[in-house]
Coordinates of all heavy atoms in Angstrom, one line a residue:
M1 N 9.5 0.5 7.0 CA 8.9 0.9 8.2 C 9.7 2.0 8.9 O 10.9 2.1 8.7 CB 8.8 -0.4 9.1 CG 7.7 -0.3 10.1 SD 7.8 -1.7 11.3 CE 9.2 -1.2 12.3
A2 N 9.0 2.7 9.8 CA 9.7 3.8 10.5 C 9.0 3.9 11.9 O 8.0 3.2 12.2 CB 9.6 5.1 9.8
Y3 N 9.6 4.7 12.7 CA 9.0 5.1 14.0 C 8.0 6.2 13.7 O 8.1 7.0 12.7 CB 10.0 5.4 15.0 CG 10.6 4.2 15.8 CD1 11.3 3.3 15.1 CD2 10.3 4.1 17.1 CE1 11.8 2.2 15.7 CE2 10.8 2.9 17.8 CZ 11.5 2.0 17.1 OH 12.0 0.9 17.7
V4 N 7.0 6.3 14.5 CA 5.9 7.2 14.3 C 5.6 8.0 15.6 O 5.5 7.4 16.7 CB 4.6 6.5 13.9 CG1 3.4 7.4 13.8 CG2 4.8 5.7 12.6
I5 N 5.4 9.3 15.5 CA 5.0 10.1 16.7 C 3.5 10.3 16.6 O 2.9 10.7 15.6 CB 5.7 11.5 16.7 CG1 7.2 11.2 16.8 CG2 5.2 12.3 17.9 CD1 8.0 12.5 16.8
T6 N 2.8 9.9 17.7 CA 1.3 10.0 17.8 C 0.9 11.3 18.4 O 1.7 12.1 18.9 CB 0.8 8.9 18.6 OG1 1.2 9.0 19.9 CG2 1.2 7.5 18.0
E7 N -0.4 11.5 18.5 CA -0.9 12.8 19.1 C -0.7 12.8 20.6 O -1.1 13.8 21.3 CB -2.4 12.9 18.8 CG -3.3 11.8 19.5 CD -4.6 11.5 18.7 OE1 -4.5 11.3 17.5 OE2 -5.6 11.5 19.3
L8 N -0.1 11.8 21.2 CA 0.3 11.9 22.6 C 1.5 12.8 22.8 O 1.8 13.1 24.0 CB 0.7 10.5 23.1 CG -0.5 9.4 23.1 CD1 0.1 8.1 23.5 CD2 -1.5 9.8 24.2
C9 N 2.1 13.3 21.8 CA 3.2 14.2 21.8 C 2.9 15.4 22.6 O 1.9 16.1 22.4 CB 3.7 14.5 20.4 SG 5.0 15.7 20.3
I10 N 3.8 15.8 23.5 CA 3.7 17.1 24.2 C 4.8 18.1 23.9 O 5.0 19.0 24.6 CB 3.7 16.8 25.8 CG1 4.9 16.1 26.2 CG2 2.4 16.0 26.2 CD1 5.1 16.0 27.7
R11 N 5.4 17.8 22.7 CA 6.5 18.7 22.2 C 7.6 18.9 23.2 O 8.1 20.0 23.4 CB 5.8 20.1 21.8 CG 4.9 20.0 20.7 CD 4.3 21.4 20.3 NE 5.4 22.3 20.0 CZ 5.7 22.6 18.7 NH1 5.0 22.0 17.7 NH2 6.6 23.5 18.4
D12 N 8.0 17.8 23.8 CA 9.1 17.9 24.8 C 10.4 18.1 24.0 O 11.3 18.9 24.4 CB 9.2 16.6 25.6 CG 10.4 16.5 26.5 OD1 10.4 17.2 27.5 OD2 11.4 15.9 26.1
G13 N 10.6 17.4 22.9 CA 11.8 17.6 22.0 C 13.0 16.7 22.3 O 13.9 16.7 21.6
A14 N 12.9 15.9 23.4 CA 14.0 15.0 23.8 C 14.3 14.0 22.6 O 15.4 13.6 22.4 CB 13.7 14.3 25.1
C15 N 13.2 13.6 21.9 CA 13.4 12.7 20.8 C 14.3 13.2 19.7 O 15.2 12.5 19.3 CB 12.0 12.3 20.2 SG 11.1 13.8 19.7
A16 N 14.1 14.5 19.4 CA 14.9 15.1 18.3 C 16.3 15.2 18.7 O 17.2 15.1 17.8 CB 14.3 16.4 18.0
E17 N 16.6 15.4 20.0 CA 18.0 15.5 20.4 C 18.8 14.2 20.3 O 20.0 14.3 20.1 CB 18.0 16.0 21.9 CG 17.6 17.5 22.0 CD 17.5 17.9 23.5 OE1 18.3 17.4 24.3 OE2 16.8 18.9 23.7
V18 N 18.1 13.1 20.4 CA 18.9 11.8 20.3 C 18.9 11.2 18.9 O 19.6 10.2 18.7 CB 18.4 10.8 21.4 CG1 18.5 11.4 22.8 CG2 16.9 10.4 21.1
C19 N 18.1 11.7 18.0 CA 18.0 11.0 16.7 C 19.3 11.2 15.9 O 19.7 12.3 15.6 CB 16.8 11.6 15.9 SG 16.7 10.9 14.3
P20 N 19.9 10.1 15.6 CA 21.2 10.2 14.9 C 21.2 10.7 13.5 O 22.2 11.1 12.9 CB 21.7 8.7 15.0 CG 20.5 7.9 15.0 CD 19.5 8.7 15.8
V21 N 20.0 10.6 12.9 CA 19.9 11.1 11.5 C 19.0 12.4 11.4 O 18.7 12.8 10.3 CB 19.3 10.0 10.6 CG1 20.3 8.8 10.5 CG2 18.0 9.5 11.1
E22 N 18.7 13.0 12.5 CA 18.0 14.3 12.6 C 16.8 14.3 11.7 O 16.5 15.2 10.9 CB 19.0 15.4 12.1 CG 20.2 15.5 13.1 CD 21.1 16.7 12.7 OE1 20.9 17.4 11.7 OE2 22.1 16.8 13.5
C23 N 16.0 13.2 11.9 CA 14.7 13.2 11.1 C 13.5 13.5 11.9 O 12.4 13.1 11.5 CB 14.6 11.8 10.4 SG 14.3 10.4 11.5
I24 N 13.6 14.1 13.0 CA 12.5 14.5 13.8 C 12.4 16.0 13.9 O 13.4 16.7 14.4 CB 12.6 13.9 15.3 CG1 12.8 12.4 15.2 CG2 11.3 14.3 16.0 CD1 13.0 11.8 16.6
V25 N 11.3 16.6 13.5 CA 11.2 18.0 13.4 C 9.8 18.5 14.0 O 8.8 17.8 13.9 CB 11.1 18.5 11.9 CG1 10.8 19.9 11.7 CG2 12.5 18.1 11.2
P26 N 9.8 19.6 14.8 CA 8.6 20.0 15.4 C 7.7 20.7 14.3 O 8.2 21.4 13.4 CB 9.0 21.0 16.4 CG 10.3 21.5 16.0 CD 11.0 20.4 15.2
G27 N 6.4 20.6 14.4 CA 5.5 21.4 13.6 C 5.6 22.8 14.1 O 6.0 23.1 15.2
P28 N 5.3 23.8 13.2 CA 5.4 25.2 13.6 C 4.5 25.5 14.8 O 3.3 25.2 14.8 CB 4.9 25.9 12.3 CG 4.9 24.9 11.2 CD 4.8 23.6 11.9
E29 N 5.1 26.1 15.8 CA 4.3 26.4 17.0 C 3.1 27.3 16.7 O 3.2 28.3 16.0 CB 5.2 27.1 18.0 CG 4.8 26.8 19.5 CD 5.9 27.1 20.5 OE1 7.0 27.5 20.0 OE2 5.6 27.0 21.6
G30 N 2.0 26.9 17.3 CA 0.8 27.7 17.0 C 0.0 27.3 15.8 O -1.2 27.8 15.7
D31 N 0.6 26.5 14.9 CA -0.2 26.1 13.7 C -1.2 25.1 14.1 O -1.0 24.1 14.8 CB 0.8 25.4 12.8 CG 0.2 25.0 11.4 OD1 -0.8 24.3 11.5 OD2 0.7 25.5 10.4
P32 N -2.5 25.4 13.8 CA -3.6 24.6 14.3 C -3.5 23.1 13.8 O -4.0 22.2 14.4 CB -4.9 25.3 13.8 CG -4.4 26.2 12.7 CD -3.0 26.6 13.0
E33 N -3.0 22.9 12.6 CA -2.9 21.6 12.0 C -1.6 20.8 12.4 O -1.6 19.6 12.7 CB -3.1 21.6 10.5 CG -3.1 20.2 9.9 CD -3.4 20.2 8.4 OE1 -3.5 21.3 7.8 OE2 -3.4 19.1 7.9
W34 N -0.5 21.5 12.4 CA 0.8 20.9 12.6 C 1.5 21.2 13.9 O 2.5 20.6 14.2 CB 1.7 21.2 11.4 CG 1.1 20.9 10.1 CD1 0.6 21.7 9.2 CD2 1.1 19.6 9.5 NE1 0.2 21.1 8.1 CE2 0.4 19.7 8.2 CE3 1.5 18.3 9.9 CZ2 0.2 18.6 7.4 CZ3 1.2 17.2 9.0 CH2 0.6 17.4 7.8
G35 N 1.0 22.2 14.6 CA 1.7 22.7 15.8 C 1.6 21.8 17.0 O 2.3 22.1 18.0
I36 N 0.8 20.8 17.0 CA 0.6 20.0 18.2 C 1.7 19.0 18.5 O 1.7 18.4 19.5 CB -0.7 19.2 18.1 CG1 -0.8 18.4 16.8 CG2 -1.9 20.2 18.2 CD1 -1.8 17.3 16.9
S37 N 2.6 18.8 17.5 CA 3.4 17.6 17.6 C 4.8 17.8 16.9 O 5.0 18.7 16.2 CB 2.7 16.4 16.9 OG 3.4 15.2 16.9
Y38 N 5.7 16.9 17.2 CA 6.9 16.6 16.4 C 6.5 15.6 15.4 O 5.6 14.8 15.6 CB 8.1 16.2 17.2 CG 8.8 17.3 17.9 CD1 8.2 18.2 18.8 CD2 10.2 17.4 17.8 CE1 8.9 19.2 19.5 CE2 10.9 18.4 18.4 CZ 10.3 19.3 19.3 OH 11.0 20.3 19.9
F39 N 7.3 15.5 14.3 CA 7.0 14.5 13.2 C 8.3 13.8 12.8 O 9.3 14.4 12.7 CB 6.3 15.2 12.0 CG 5.0 15.8 12.4 CD1 5.0 17.1 12.7 CD2 3.9 15.0 12.4 CE1 3.7 17.7 13.1 CE2 2.6 15.6 12.7 CZ 2.6 17.0 13.0
I40 N 8.2 12.5 12.5 CA 9.3 11.7 12.0 C 9.2 11.5 10.5 O 8.2 11.1 10.0 CB 9.4 10.3 12.7 CG1 9.7 10.5 14.2 CG2 10.4 9.4 12.1 CD1 9.6 9.2 15.0
D41 N 10.3 11.8 9.8 CA 10.4 11.6 8.4 C 10.6 10.1 8.2 O 11.6 9.5 8.4 CB 11.6 12.4 7.8 CG 11.7 12.2 6.3 OD1 11.0 11.4 5.7 OD2 12.5 12.9 5.7
P42 N 9.5 9.4 7.6 CA 9.6 8.0 7.5 C 10.6 7.5 6.5 O 11.1 6.4 6.5 CB 8.2 7.6 7.1 CG 7.6 8.8 6.5 CD 8.3 10.0 7.2
D43 N 11.0 8.4 5.6 CA 12.0 8.0 4.6 C 13.4 8.1 5.0 O 14.3 7.6 4.4 CB 11.8 8.8 3.3 CG 10.5 8.5 2.6 OD1 10.0 7.3 2.8 OD2 10.0 9.3 1.9
T44 N 13.6 8.8 6.1 CA 15.0 9.0 6.7 C 15.2 8.2 7.9 O 16.4 7.8 8.2 CB 15.2 10.5 7.0 OG1 14.9 11.3 5.8 CG2 16.6 10.8 7.4
C45 N 14.2 7.9 8.7 CA 14.3 7.1 9.9 C 15.0 5.8 9.6 O 14.6 5.1 8.7 CB 12.9 6.9 10.5 SG 12.8 5.8 11.9
I46 N 16.0 5.5 10.5 CA 16.7 4.2 10.3 C 16.3 3.1 11.3 O 16.9 2.1 11.5 CB 18.2 4.4 10.4 CG1 18.6 5.1 11.7 CG2 18.7 5.3 9.2 CD1 20.1 5.1 12.0
E47 N 15.2 3.5 12.0 CA 14.6 2.5 13.0 C 15.5 2.1 14.1 O 15.6 1.0 14.5 CB 14.0 1.3 12.3 CG 13.0 1.6 11.2 CD 12.8 0.4 10.3 OE1 12.8 -0.7 10.8 OE2 12.6 0.7 9.1
C48 N 16.3 3.1 14.6 CA 17.3 2.7 15.6 C 16.6 2.6 17.0 O 17.2 1.9 17.9 CB 18.4 3.8 15.7 SG 17.8 5.4 16.4
G49 N 15.5 3.2 17.1 CA 14.7 3.1 18.4 C 15.2 4.0 19.5 O 14.7 3.9 20.6
A50 N 16.1 4.9 19.2 CA 16.6 5.8 20.3 C 15.6 6.8 20.8 O 15.6 7.2 22.0 CB 17.9 6.5 19.8
C51 N 14.7 7.2 20.0 CA 13.8 8.3 20.3 C 12.7 7.8 21.3 O 12.3 8.5 22.3 CB 13.1 8.8 19.1 SG 12.3 7.6 18.0
A52 N 12.1 6.6 21.1 CA 11.0 6.2 21.9 C 11.2 6.2 23.4 O 10.3 6.8 24.1 CB 10.5 4.8 21.4
P53 N 12.3 5.7 23.9 CA 12.4 5.7 25.4 C 12.6 7.1 26.0 O 12.5 7.3 27.2 CB 13.6 4.8 25.7 CG 14.3 4.7 24.4 CD 13.3 4.9 23.3
E54 N 13.0 8.0 25.1 CA 13.3 9.4 25.6 C 12.0 10.2 25.8 O 11.9 11.2 26.4 CB 14.2 10.2 24.6 CG 15.5 9.6 24.4 CD 16.3 9.6 25.7 OE1 16.2 10.6 26.5 OE2 17.0 8.6 26.0
C55 N 10.9 9.7 25.1 CA 9.6 10.5 25.1 C 8.9 10.4 26.5 O 8.6 9.3 27.0 CB 8.7 10.0 24.1 SG 7.1 10.8 24.0
P56 N 8.7 11.6 27.2 CA 8.1 11.6 28.5 C 6.6 11.2 28.4 O 6.0 10.8 29.5 CB 8.3 13.0 29.0 CG 8.4 13.8 27.7 CD 9.1 12.9 26.7
S57 N 6.0 11.2 27.2 CA 4.6 10.9 27.2 C 4.3 9.6 26.4 O 3.2 9.3 26.0 CB 3.8 12.0 26.6 OG 4.2 12.3 25.3
D58 N 5.4 8.8 26.2 CA 5.3 7.5 25.4 C 4.5 7.7 24.1 O 3.6 6.9 23.9 CB 4.7 6.5 26.3 CG 5.5 6.1 27.5 OD1 6.8 6.2 27.4 OD2 5.0 5.8 28.6
A59 N 4.8 8.7 23.4 CA 4.1 9.0 22.2 C 4.6 8.3 20.9 O 4.0 8.4 19.8 CB 4.1 10.5 21.9
I60 N 5.8 7.7 21.0 CA 6.5 7.2 19.8 C 6.5 5.7 19.8 O 6.8 5.0 20.8 CB 7.9 7.7 19.8 CG1 8.0 9.2 20.0 CG2 8.6 7.3 18.5 CD1 9.4 9.8 20.1
F61 N 6.1 5.1 18.6 CA 6.0 3.7 18.4 C 6.6 3.3 17.1 O 6.6 4.1 16.1 CB 4.5 3.3 18.4 CG 3.7 3.7 19.6 CD1 3.1 4.9 19.6 CD2 3.5 2.8 20.6 CE1 2.3 5.3 20.8 CE2 2.8 3.1 21.7 CZ 2.2 4.4 21.8
P62 N 7.1 2.0 17.0 CA 7.4 1.5 15.7 C 6.1 1.4 14.9 O 5.0 1.2 15.5 CB 7.9 0.1 16.0 CG 8.2 0.1 17.4 CD 7.4 1.1 18.1
E63 N 6.2 1.6 13.6 CA 5.0 1.7 12.8 C 4.0 0.5 13.0 O 2.8 0.7 13.1 CB 5.4 1.8 11.3 CG 4.2 2.1 10.4 CD 4.6 2.3 8.9 OE1 5.7 2.9 8.7 OE2 3.9 1.8 8.0
D64 N 4.6 -0.6 13.1 CA 3.7 -1.8 13.2 C 3.2 -2.0 14.6 O 2.5 -3.0 14.9 CB 4.4 -3.1 12.6 CG 5.7 -3.4 13.4 OD1 6.1 -2.6 14.2 OD2 6.3 -4.4 13.0
E65 N 3.6 -1.2 15.5 CA 3.1 -1.3 16.9 C 2.2 -0.1 17.4 O 1.9 0.1 18.5 CB 4.2 -1.5 17.9 CG 5.0 -2.8 17.7 CD 6.2 -3.0 18.6 OE1 6.2 -2.3 19.6 OE2 7.1 -3.7 18.2
V66 N 1.9 0.8 16.4 CA 1.1 2.0 16.7 C -0.3 1.5 17.2 O -0.9 0.7 16.4 CB 1.0 2.9 15.6 CG1 0.1 4.1 15.9 CG2 2.4 3.5 15.1
P67 N -0.8 1.9 18.4 CA -2.1 1.4 18.8 C -3.2 1.9 17.8 O -3.1 2.9 17.2 CB -2.3 2.2 20.1 CG -0.9 2.4 20.6 CD -0.1 2.7 19.4
E68 N -4.2 1.1 17.7 CA -5.3 1.3 16.8 C -5.8 2.7 16.7 O -6.0 3.3 15.7 CB -6.4 0.3 17.1 CG -7.4 0.1 15.9 CD -6.7 -0.4 14.6 OE1 -5.8 -1.3 14.7 OE2 -7.0 0.1 13.6
Q69 N -6.0 3.3 17.9 CA -6.6 4.6 17.9 C -5.7 5.7 17.5 O -6.1 6.9 17.3 CB -7.1 4.9 19.4 CG -6.1 5.1 20.4 CD -5.8 3.8 21.2 OE1 -5.7 2.7 20.6 NE2 -5.6 3.9 22.5
Y70 N -4.4 5.4 17.3 CA -3.5 6.4 16.8 C -2.9 6.1 15.4 O -2.0 6.8 15.0 CB -2.3 6.5 17.8 CG -2.7 6.9 19.2 CD1 -2.4 6.1 20.3 CD2 -3.5 8.0 19.5 CE1 -2.8 6.4 21.6 CE2 -3.9 8.3 20.8 CZ -3.5 7.5 21.8 OH -4.0 7.8 23.1
R71 N -3.5 5.2 14.7 CA -2.9 4.7 13.5 C -2.9 5.8 12.4 O -2.1 5.8 11.5 CB -3.5 3.4 13.0 CG -3.1 2.3 13.9 CD -3.2 0.9 13.3 NE -2.3 0.7 12.2 CZ -1.0 0.3 12.3 NH1 -0.5 0.2 13.5 NH2 -0.3 0.1 11.2
H72 N -3.8 6.7 12.5 CA -3.8 7.8 11.5 C -2.5 8.7 11.6 O -2.2 9.4 10.6 CB -5.1 8.7 11.8 CG -5.1 9.3 13.1 ND1 -5.7 8.7 14.2 CD2 -4.6 10.4 13.7 CE1 -5.6 9.4 15.3 NE2 -4.9 10.5 15.0
A73 N -1.8 8.6 12.7 CA -0.6 9.3 12.8 C 0.5 8.8 11.8 O 1.4 9.6 11.5 CB 0.0 9.2 14.2
I74 N 0.4 7.6 11.3 CA 1.3 7.1 10.4 C 1.3 8.0 9.1 O 2.3 8.5 8.6 CB 1.1 5.6 10.0 CG1 1.2 4.8 11.3 CG2 2.0 5.1 8.9 CD1 0.7 3.3 11.1
A75 N 0.1 8.2 8.6 CA -0.1 9.0 7.4 C 0.3 10.5 7.7 O 0.8 11.2 6.9 CB -1.5 8.9 6.9
K76 N 0.0 10.9 8.9 CA 0.2 12.3 9.3 C 1.7 12.6 9.3 O 2.1 13.7 8.8 CB -0.5 12.6 10.6 CG -0.3 14.0 11.1 CD -1.6 14.8 10.8 CE -1.5 16.2 11.4 NZ -2.6 17.1 11.0
N77 N 2.5 11.7 9.9 CA 3.9 11.9 9.9 C 4.5 12.0 8.5 O 5.3 12.9 8.2 CB 4.6 10.8 10.7 CG 4.6 11.1 12.2 OD1 5.6 11.3 12.8 ND2 3.5 10.9 12.8
R78 N 4.0 11.1 7.6 CA 4.5 11.2 6.2 C 4.0 12.5 5.5 O 4.8 13.1 4.8 CB 4.0 10.0 5.5 CG 4.4 10.0 4.0 CD 4.1 8.6 3.3 NE 4.9 7.5 3.8 CZ 6.2 7.3 3.4 NH1 6.8 8.1 2.6 NH2 6.9 6.3 3.9
A79 N 2.8 12.8 5.8 CA 2.2 14.0 5.1 C 3.0 15.3 5.5 O 3.2 16.2 4.7 CB 0.7 14.2 5.4
F80 N 3.5 15.3 6.7 CA 4.3 16.5 7.2 C 5.4 16.8 6.3 O 5.8 17.9 6.0 CB 4.8 16.3 8.6 CG 5.5 17.4 9.2 CD1 4.9 18.5 9.7 CD2 6.9 17.4 9.2 CE1 5.6 19.6 10.3 CE2 7.6 18.5 9.7 CZ 7.0 19.6 10.3
Y81 N 6.0 15.7 5.7 CA 7.2 15.8 4.9 C 6.9 15.8 3.4 O 7.8 16.0 2.6 CB 8.2 14.7 5.2 CG 8.8 14.8 6.6 CD1 8.2 14.2 7.7 CD2 9.9 15.7 6.9 CE1 8.7 14.3 9.0 CE2 10.4 15.9 8.1 CZ 9.8 15.2 9.2 OH 10.3 15.4 10.5
T82 N 5.7 15.5 3.0 CA 5.4 15.4 1.6 C 4.5 16.6 1.2 O 4.5 17.0 0.0 CB 4.7 14.1 1.2 OG1 3.5 13.9 2.0 CG2 5.6 12.9 1.4
E83 N 3.7 17.1 2.1 CA 2.8 18.2 1.8 C 2.7 19.3 2.9 O 2.1 20.3 2.7 CB 1.4 17.7 1.4 CG 0.8 16.9 2.6 CD -0.4 16.1 2.1 OE1 -0.2 15.1 1.4 OE2 -1.5 16.4 2.5
G84 N 3.2 19.0 4.1 CA 3.1 19.9 5.2 C 4.4 20.8 5.3 O 5.2 20.8 4.4
P85 N 4.5 21.4 6.5 CA 5.7 22.3 6.7 C 7.0 21.7 6.6 O 8.0 22.4 6.3 CB 5.4 22.8 8.1 CG 4.0 22.5 8.4 CD 3.6 21.3 7.6
G86 N 7.1 20.4 6.7 CA 8.4 19.7 6.6 C 8.9 19.6 5.2 O 10.1 19.3 4.9
Y87 N 8.0 19.8 4.2 CA 8.3 19.6 2.8 C 9.5 20.5 2.3 O 10.5 20.1 1.7 CB 7.1 19.8 1.9 CG 7.3 19.6 0.5 CD1 7.7 18.3 0.0 CD2 7.1 20.6 -0.4 CE1 8.0 18.1 -1.4 CE2 7.3 20.4 -1.8 CZ 7.7 19.2 -2.2 OH 8.0 19.0 -3.6
S88 N 9.3 21.8 2.6 CA 10.3 22.7 2.1 C 11.6 22.5 2.9 O 12.7 22.7 2.3 CB 9.8 24.2 2.2 OG 9.4 24.4 3.6
A89 N 11.5 22.1 4.2 CA 12.7 22.0 4.9 C 13.6 20.8 4.4 O 14.8 20.7 4.6 CB 12.4 21.7 6.4
R90 N 12.9 19.9 3.8 CA 13.6 18.6 3.4 C 14.3 18.8 2.1 O 15.2 18.1 1.8 CB 12.5 17.6 3.2 CG 12.9 16.2 3.0 CD 11.7 15.3 2.8 NE 12.0 14.0 2.7 CZ 11.1 13.1 2.3 NH1 9.9 13.4 2.1 NH2 11.5 11.8 2.2
K91 N 13.8 19.8 1.2 CA 14.4 19.9 -0.1 C 15.8 20.4 0.0 O 16.2 21.1 0.9 CB 13.5 20.9 -0.9 CG 12.3 20.1 -1.4 CD 11.6 20.9 -2.5 CE 10.9 22.2 -1.9 NZ 10.0 22.9 -2.9
Ligands
SF4_117 FE1 15.4 8.9 14.6 FE2 16.0 6.4 15.4 FE3 13.7 7.5 16.2 FE4 14.0 6.8 13.7 S1 14.0 5.5 15.4 S2 13.2 8.8 14.4 S3 16.2 7.3 13.3 S4 15.8 8.2 16.8

């Protein structure tokens, strides 16, 4: 399990500043598919919970508490690091 950033993200970036394992990365600005949000690498997240309270739009949830209407964000965060812009950054 990991924490997940949903589409409520307003790209504030405070989450990334507090993450102890630096697993939160913004999508490329202006990219229509990935530019709307930051994304958490689910394989690196240690579930410390530091990011969620920093988010001004309450966009971050533990995976098992993501509201039903935002659950697609779980796959989207993972996809960012497996096939999206985060893939090359991770290698
Ligand atoms: Fe980073 Fe902790 Fe948030 Fe996971 S829960 S993304 S490790 S700050």
Side-chain angles (χ1 to χ4, degrees):
M1 208 190 72
Y3 275 63
V4 175
I5 298 180
T6 67
E7 66 207 52
L8 296 171
C9 177
I10 56 170
R11 292 181 62 98
D12 175 79
C15 55
E17 287 177 27
V18 300
C19 179
V21 293
E22 299 182 359
C23 71
I24 308 177
V25 172
E29 208 162 357
D31 184 304
E33 185 175 0
W34 301 103
I36 54 159
S37 179
Y38 277 57
F39 298 93
I40 291 173
D41 180 351
D43 292 334
T44 306
C45 173
I46 58 170
E47 302 165 37
C48 72
C51 53
E54 297 298 321
C55 179
S57 59
D58 295 328
I60 307 175
F61 302 88
E63 186 175 324
D64 59 357
E65 294 176 25
V66 176
E68 198 57 41
Q69 67 267 40
Y70 302 125
R71 292 202 64 82
H72 57 271
I74 297 170
K76 182 96 175 175
N77 277 251
R78 179 171 292 281
F80 182 81
Y81 293 95
T82 56
E83 60 197 67
Y87 179 61
S88 55
R90 188 183 186 191
K91 282 193 289 189

